[in-house]
Amino acid sequence: MTSFYANLPDHTPEQMNVVFIVYPDIVLLDLVGPLQVFTHARKNPRSGPAYQTHVVSFDGGRTKTNTILQIDSDPLADWLEKHQDTPIHTLVVIGGDGALVAALDLPFVDQVRQLADRSQRVCSVCSGALVLAAAGLLDGRRAVTHWEDCDHLAAHYPAVHVEIDPIYIKDGIVWTSAGITAGIDMALAIIEEDLGTPAAIEMARSLVTPMVRSGGQSQFSPELDRQARDTEGRFRSLHDWVSSNLRQNISVQDMAEHCGMSSRNFSRQYTATMGTPPAKAVEAIRVAAARDLLGATEKSIKAIAVNCGFQDDERMRRAFLRQIKTTPSQYRAQFQSQ
C-alpha cells in the first residue's frame, strides 16, 4: 500500500511551532499520540508538514517516562532566552504521575506561564491540566482532565470550572483533554481547526482511528464499564446480542432465555454482577447506540429512536434524561458545535 506521506517535501516555510512540555514520570502515550498527529499533519497530500514539533523540559536532556523509554528534550529556558522571538503556535503540557509534583515546582510553573503568554494556543493532555491550573491559566475557564484527577483539580484549584465527562474542552485559546488517548482526539480537533476537516480525517485514517470524535463525547465508555464489571465475560454474549437486536422489544424474559436461566435467577445474578437491573442495562445500550448515530449521521431523531428500539422520540428523550442528563437534540447540538 502506498503511504499517504510518501515522496512529500520535508518542510514548509510556514510551519507552525508546537512545543510539548514534559517532566519526570509523564505518561508516554500522552506525549507520543499528539506528537505523532502534529508531526505528520498536512494541509493536503502535496504540501509539507504543517507543524514543527519540539519537546522541552525544565533542565533539558533525558526525561523519565512511565515506561522503560526516556524522552530527549531541550531546556525550557532556551525558549525563554535563545528562542524568545520564535512564535509558538501551540503549547502542550503533557500528563502523567509526575504532574502532582510538577504542579508544585514553582520555577517550572513560572516558566510554563511565561511560555503560555507567548503562545497562540495552550493545551494540556490528561493530568497536565494540573500544571496549567497551578500557573493560573485555567482560572475562570471550563476544563477537563482524566476522570481520576478531576476531584483533585476541583479541590485544589476552585477557580477552575471542572467538567468530568468530556473527552476534551476548548475554552477560548485553552484546550484541555481527558485521559491519554483523548489527547489524540484533541490534537485531531486542532488539526481540523487549523487545516480543515479533510486534513483531520486523512490524519485519522493514517492513524487507523475510527473517527474524529467531538469534545462533547464522554470519556466514559459504557462498554468498557460493562467489561470491567463482568470480568469473567459471563454476560458478554448477552450484551452483543442486545446490541445486535435493538429494534426488537427485548424483555427480561428474552435475556434470561438467551442465558439459559430463569427470569428470577437471571435478574438476581445480572444485577449482582453488573450493578444495574437488566432493563436499565438495555436502556443504557440503546442510549449509547443513539448517541453514536446522533453524532455520526444526519438521521432524524425520530428515525434514530426507531432504529435503537425506543419506538418513538419521546421515549428516547426520557431515556437520555435519565442516563446522561440531556436530551437527544441538546446532545446533537453540542456535538455539532465542536
Side-chain angles (χ1 to χ4, degrees):
M1 182 179 71
T2 302
S3 170
F4 172 70
Y5 304 109
N7 302 317
L8 295 179
D10 294 329
H11 66 281
T12 171
E14 298 179 355
Q15 282 181 315
M16 297 170 279
N17 288 301
V18 179
V19 178
F20 293 90
I21 298 179
V22 299
Y23 45 81
D25 294 322
I26 63 164
V27 170
L28 183 61
L29 189 55
D30 279 6
L31 172 64
V32 299
L35 179 62
Q36 187 73 48
V37 173
F38 284 110
T39 298
H40 293 288
R42 288 168 165 81
K43 178 71 174 178
N44 59 66
R46 292 173 297 281
S47 63
Y51 303 92
Q52 185 171 3
T53 55
H54 316 266
V55 179
V56 302
S57 64
F58 187 74
D59 294 318
R62 292 192 171 184
T63 299
K64 179 184 175 183
T65 74
N66 68 332
T67 72
I68 61 173
L69 300 179
Q70 296 184 341
I71 297 297
D72 286 330
S73 60
D74 297 322
L76 213 160
D78 283 359
W79 279 85
L80 298 174
E81 299 169 5
K82 298 179 183 179
H83 307 303
Q84 57 182 312
D85 295 325
T86 303
I88 301 175
H89 188 269
T90 299
L91 185 72
V92 186
V93 179
I94 301 305
D97 293 339
L100 293 173
V101 174
L104 299 176
D105 186 336
L106 296 183
F108 171 70
V109 170
D110 182 62
Q111 289 190 341
V112 172
R113 185 186 301 110
Q114 292 181 59
L115 275 192
D117 288 342
R118 291 175 42 200
S119 303
Q120 295 181 39
R121 179 191 288 123
V122 179
C123 310
S124 64
V125 179
C126 198
S127 55
L130 299 176
V131 176
L132 293 187
L137 299 170
L138 299 182
D139 288 357
R141 296 184 184 275
R142 298 168 55 238
V144 68
T145 184
H146 191 286
W147 60 269
E148 292 180 329
D149 297 309
C150 282
D151 287 345
H152 181 92
L153 180 61
H156 289 77
Y157 305 98
V160 183
H161 304 305
V162 180
E163 297 186 17
I164 193 171
D165 198 48
I167 57 172
Y168 65 81
I169 291 174
K170 175 190 176 185
D171 190 331
I173 66 166
V174 178
W175 298 58
T176 53
S177 61
I180 308 178
T181 57
I184 297 175
D185 294 295
M186 179 182 71
L188 289 170
I190 290 173
I191 299 305
E192 183 175 28
E193 181 172 278
D194 289 347
L195 307 179
T197 300
I201 292 175
E202 195 60 55
M203 189 68 244
R205 289 178 60 196
S206 174
L207 294 173
V208 199
T209 298
M211 62 179 293
V212 181
R213 296 189 294 171
S214 162
Q217 292 191 344
S218 174
Q219 65 171 296
F220 297 102
S221 166
E223 182 176 357
L224 288 178
D225 183 63
R226 288 193 293 271
Q227 292 174 3
R229 291 177 181 274
D230 186 18
T231 55
E232 297 180 357
R234 187 176 185 183
F235 298 110
R236 185 180 304 161
S237 173
L238 172 66
H239 294 143
D240 290 342
W241 176 79
V242 170
S243 297
S244 300
N245 293 276
L246 290 181
R247 291 181 71 114
Q248 297 183 22
N249 181 19
I250 301 173
S251 67
V252 174
Q253 178 65 38
D254 294 331
M255 299 171 73
E257 289 179 359
H258 183 86
C259 294
M261 303 166 66
S262 69
S263 294
R264 183 177 179 181
N265 188 37
F266 166 74
S267 294
R268 183 177 64 253
Q269 294 196 32
Y270 186 91
T271 302
T273 300
M274 305 306 301
T276 189
K280 290 291 184 183
V282 172
E283 181 179 270
I285 293 172
R286 294 190 195 279
V287 168
R291 290 171 71 172
D292 289 342
L293 291 173
L294 286 168
T297 74
E298 297 296 327
K299 290 183 178 180
S300 70
I301 290 177
K302 288 185 178 181
I304 291 173
V306 172
N307 287 345
C308 295
F310 289 107
Q311 297 182 352
D312 59 59
D313 53 339
E314 177 56 26
R315 285 187 174 88
M316 186 167 79
R317 188 186 72 84
R318 292 199 297 266
F320 265 62
L321 288 172
R322 283 191 294 267
Q323 294 286 333
I324 60 175
K325 306 299 187 293
T326 191
T327 67
S329 58
Q330 289 170 338
Y331 180 84
R332 171 168 273 178
Q334 180 184 24
F335 184 99
Q336 292 177 339
S337 69
Q338 301 298 318

